[in-house]
Amino acid sequence: REEEERLRNKIRADHEKALEEAKEKLKKSRDEIQAEIQTEKNKVVQELKKKDSKPLPPVPLPNLIGINSGEPADPDIREKRNKVKEMMKHAWDNYRQYGWGHNELKPIARKGHSTNIFGNSQMGATIVDALDTLYIMGLHDEFREGQEWIDKNLDFSVNSEVSVFEVNIRFIGGLLAAYYLSGQEVFKIKAVQLAGKLLPAFNTPTGIPWAMVNLKSGVGRNWGWASAGSSILAEFGTLHMEFVHLSYLTGDPVYYNKVMHIRKLLQKMDRPNGLYPNYLNPRTGRWGQHHTSVGGLGDSFYEYLLKAWLMSDKMDTEARKMYDDAIEAIEKHLIRKSNGGLTFIGEWKNGHLERKMGHLTCFAGGMFALGADGSRDDKAGHYLQLGAEIAHTCHESYDRTTLKLGPEAFKFDGGVEAVAVRQNEKYYILRPEVIETYWYMWRFTHDPKYRQWGWEATQAIDKYCRVSGGFSGVKDVYSSSPTYDDVQQSFFLAETLKYLYLLFSNDDLLPLDNWVFNTEAHPLPVLHLANTTLSGNPAYR
Ligand code: DMJ
């Protein structure tokens, strides 16, 4: 009974207190009440932020060598390298002045630019994508400015629907590389926060993620244009490197398990002619249209199989086997020689080979060279040769244009060789793939022609894509008076300029025995995982 009485008194007292507070509130003006509500809200947000930025458990850092060297002794090469650095400065300074905080820059309109892959928020894609390039070029003031912006402004609690693939390769890849190069915790923390926001995309009946996810609600969906509601091979198959690093850095196997689940599912599926179709339905787990490509929609899936093996210090032999099998099928069904003797990689569409190669496909020259060592039946020489042939074909696609810049796609049909036929395939949007292949070929052969070809591309970009407000893509590489598309793509700073800079550097800058580049050219260190406790693949146990 005493207890009852005590409770009753407490309820009465609370009630009276609440009434008093309500009376006080009513005496206040509307503005005062609103200000109080705002202060309360801010407190909650600050608390949440604190919770989110908890330091992560320390893990042993991998062997980080070659992050600030590479100065060539030859004065001519040094000059070329400096020219590339100057171009980076021009791209960055203009973005800094006219597009700061926006995803990309419109260098002619001199304002911010964005596309649907980044959602509807200003996430500073160019800043995140450019960080590691700034770092290796020794542009440290610019790097610090970028870091400061990220620290203060990069916020993922936004109601915005983004591409899981693009955010992974550009943001998570960019942040992780910036972390490994500089050791600044903020990049690691942001990468982990962002990764947490991508995880709901994997909540599908099969575990194959949606193409897009809303960062706030976690609701996912696929691109409207994809065959039969499918997810895209090059998108859900290009998460492995970053997700393994996330598990490594956090000690949380959730990321690793997600990508290993995708791999296991793919391994179980039938593959027509041994080829992986580009489309897979995440509800049914069945392939969509049987299109296969080493360019758009397929490309980086193959790249990540090889790089998963390299990144695991060659322990992940399962990935290497999947790569070898896939490449054998690709060679058999998609790679041909044109009448004029150019080796090209076509696309498999509706039961026949389309004799057309995309600019995106040109990255494969570098991939073949990178995968040569360790190839099945000791075919290293063969794959290095194949890499050289693809590099040659892609160089021809540049050389046969007026601007000496490559078109988006080129044909090998009816007397046409390495030339774009359709008007809407004649554009160049500052893409890196051909230069990426020159760089890998240079590293593996030291044949000076690759530096020569890289220099031709540097000059052409500087002459035809440079404007006073930055760099722009061009709409027709066969026209002597091209029109601009007015977009400075973030991958121009992340990839194109980085690969050019590396091409004119010594090999001790980011040596390939220690670093593996993600598909957006963000270098991630090789992991020696024998002592960690990641579950799943025995290679990681
Ligand atoms: C980049 O975002 C990446 O290289 C991706 O793998 C393919 N497309 C662009 C550059 O062309």
Side-chain angles (χ1 to χ4, degrees):
R1 177 144 313 165
E2 252 176 44
E3 180 60 11
E4 253 178 41
E5 188 59 23
R6 200 185 63 77
L7 268 177
R8 215 171 282 132
N9 286 340
K10 184 174 180 318
I11 291 168
R12 202 172 298 127
D14 285 351
H15 200 71
E16 275 164 14
K17 192 168 161 232
L19 269 175
E20 269 316 299
E21 279 176 5
K23 272 194 218 153
E24 278 304 304
K25 248 212 176 111
L26 284 174
K27 280 189 215 154
K28 288 185 186 163
S29 73
R30 200 187 159 82
D31 286 350
E32 277 175 311
I33 295 173
Q34 257 166 6
E36 271 177 20
I37 294 173
Q38 196 48 49
T39 318
E40 280 306 308
K41 268 193 187 165
N42 289 346
K43 259 196 229 156
V44 175
V45 171
Q46 284 314 320
E47 281 308 308
L48 281 177
K49 272 203 173 147
K50 256 193 238 156
K51 225 174 84 199
D52 258 9
S53 350
K54 268 200 318 248
L56 293 161
V59 288
L61 272 188
N63 197 7
L64 304 174
I65 63 167
I67 57 178
N68 49 18
S69 34
E71 174 92 19
D74 180 339
D76 173 52
I77 303 298
R78 223 178 11 234
E79 205 178 299
K80 289 177 170 142
R81 188 167 105 133
N82 283 338
K83 174 64 197 171
V84 176
K85 183 171 169 177
E86 183 276 326
M87 288 165 73
M88 179 71 183
K89 219 21 214 130
H90 182 67
W92 174 265
D93 286 348
N94 279 289
Y95 167 75
R96 171 84 187 79
Q97 189 169 355
Y98 303 115
W100 195 236
H102 290 267
N103 289 315
E104 293 177 319
L105 167 71
K106 284 174 91 60
I108 295 174
R110 297 181 187 228
K111 58 180 194 185
H113 170 263
S114 199
T115 60
N116 59 348
I117 59 173
F118 302 121
N120 54 16
S121 276
Q122 289 188 23
M123 303 223 310
T126 296
I127 302 178
V128 183
D129 236 4
L131 280 172
D132 51 10
T133 309
L134 294 171
Y135 192 92
I136 62 165
M137 290 183 175
L139 292 167
H140 294 303
D141 290 342
E142 290 78 359
F143 180 89
R144 262 189 300 276
E145 275 178 328
Q147 176 174 346
E148 211 177 292
W149 186 89
I150 286 170
D151 195 13
K152 297 214 175 95
N153 304 290
L154 188 55
D155 177 16
F156 307 116
S157 320
V158 283
N159 182 9
S160 183
E161 192 182 51
V162 299
S163 153
V164 174
F165 158 76
E166 297 287 357
V167 162
N168 177 59
I169 65 168
R170 301 190 201 213
F171 284 79
I172 297 191
L175 290 165
L176 290 176
Y179 167 67
Y180 283 118
L181 292 176
S182 70
Q184 297 295 311
E185 285 283 310
V186 58
F187 299 126
K188 176 167 75 168
I189 291 166
K190 293 281 177 185
V192 174
Q193 283 173 3
L194 178 53
K197 301 275 179 189
L198 296 188
L199 287 179
F202 292 79
N203 295 336
T204 63
T206 56
I208 294 291
W210 299 115
M212 285 173 283
V213 70
N214 183 303
L215 292 176
K216 190 163 212 162
S217 66
V219 173
R221 69 183 173 102
N222 273 344
W223 303 113
W225 49 260
S227 153
S230 291
S231 301
I232 307 294
L233 182 69
E235 298 199 331
F236 63 77
T238 309
L239 303 167
H240 195 97
M241 295 180 66
E242 297 79 4
F243 275 45
V244 168
H245 270 277
L246 287 164
S247 280
Y248 175 74
L249 291 172
T250 57
D252 184 346
V254 63
Y255 309 102
Y256 175 78
N257 290 340
K258 297 283 181 216
V259 287
M260 283 311 286
H261 177 79
I262 298 176
R263 183 191 286 181
K264 294 290 166 205
L265 197 134
L266 287 175
Q267 275 180 327
K268 274 193 266 160
M269 296 191 60
D270 269 347
R271 298 197 302 280
N273 287 327
L275 297 170
Y276 289 89
N278 292 335
Y279 300 106
L280 180 60
N281 188 309
R283 291 186 204 275
T284 62
R286 282 204 283 271
W287 298 121
Q289 271 171 324
H290 285 189
H291 288 181
T292 297
S293 163
V294 186
L297 310 185
D299 46 10
S300 41
F301 162 68
Y302 306 100
E303 176 185 352
Y304 270 36
L305 291 177
L306 173 65
K307 290 181 174 176
W309 173 69
L310 289 168
M311 207 184 76
S312 70
D313 201 16
K314 305 189 179 171
M315 301 283 281
D316 186 356
T317 48
E318 183 179 75
R320 175 78 216 204
K321 183 182 177 312
M322 286 174 79
Y323 172 78
D324 286 335
D325 289 345
I327 293 307
E328 273 175 26
I330 284 167
E331 223 186 322
K332 187 160 168 208
H333 298 288
L334 305 186
I335 301 189
R336 296 285 180 270
K337 240 190 188 90
S338 71
N339 294 339
L342 295 177
T343 303
F344 68 93
I345 312 177
E347 308 218 341
W348 193 256
K349 276 195 181 159
N350 309 321
H352 84 283
L353 182 73
E354 193 176 14
R355 297 170 65 90
K356 184 163 88 176
M357 185 163 171
H359 191 288
L360 289 164
T361 321
C362 286
F363 90 98
M367 177 177 74
F368 293 141
L370 184 66
D373 201 12
S375 60
R376 196 176 279 164
D377 305 328
D378 202 16
K379 282 167 74 182
H382 168 74
Y383 285 112
L384 200 57
Q385 173 63 22
L386 189 55
E389 287 174 22
I390 299 298
H392 173 63
T393 299
C394 293
H395 176 253
E396 286 301 306
S397 80
Y398 274 50
D399 207 42
R400 294 176 187 196
T401 70
T402 310
L403 303 188
K404 305 292 172 201
L405 290 169
E408 181 67 4
F410 40 96
K411 290 210 118 179
F412 299 86
D413 229 354
V416 171
E417 299 250 338
V419 171
V421 175
R422 288 164 55 173
Q423 191 53 37
N424 64 0
E425 292 174 343
K426 294 183 176 171
Y427 60 88
Y428 173 68
I429 56 166
L430 304 170
R431 285 198 193 279
E433 292 76 17
V434 175
I435 293 164
E436 174 180 351
T437 279
Y438 295 163
W439 173 61
Y440 279 107
M441 290 310 301
W442 164 255
R443 277 273 170 115
F444 291 113
T445 66
H446 287 157
D447 184 334
K449 79 175 173 214
Y450 296 114
R451 277 188 164 166
Q452 179 50 37
W453 292 351
W455 184 237
E456 284 168 15
T458 311
Q459 286 176 302
I461 292 171
D462 205 47
K463 186 160 176 198
Y464 297 113
C465 300
R466 187 181 183 126
V467 293
S468 58
F471 287 89
S472 165
V474 288
K475 289 189 183 158
D476 185 349
V477 289
Y478 300 95
S479 154
S480 51
S481 50
T483 44
Y484 298 114
D485 69 1
D486 199 11
V487 181
Q488 179 175 285
Q489 306 275 349
S490 80
F491 54 66
F492 179 61
L493 294 88
E495 300 193 72
T496 313
L497 292 174
K498 185 187 285 128
Y499 286 131
L500 282 172
Y501 188 76
L502 288 167
L503 182 63
F504 300 116
S505 297
N506 293 342
D507 296 359
D508 58 351
L509 180 57
L510 299 173
L512 287 171
D513 284 340
N514 301 78
W515 296 89
V516 186
F517 289 71
N518 88 341
T519 193
E520 186 79 0
H522 296 305
L524 300 175
V526 169
L527 293 177
H528 307 278
L529 289 170
N531 296 329
T532 63
T533 53
L534 295 176
S535 58
N537 185 338
Y540 290 118
R541 261 190 230 133

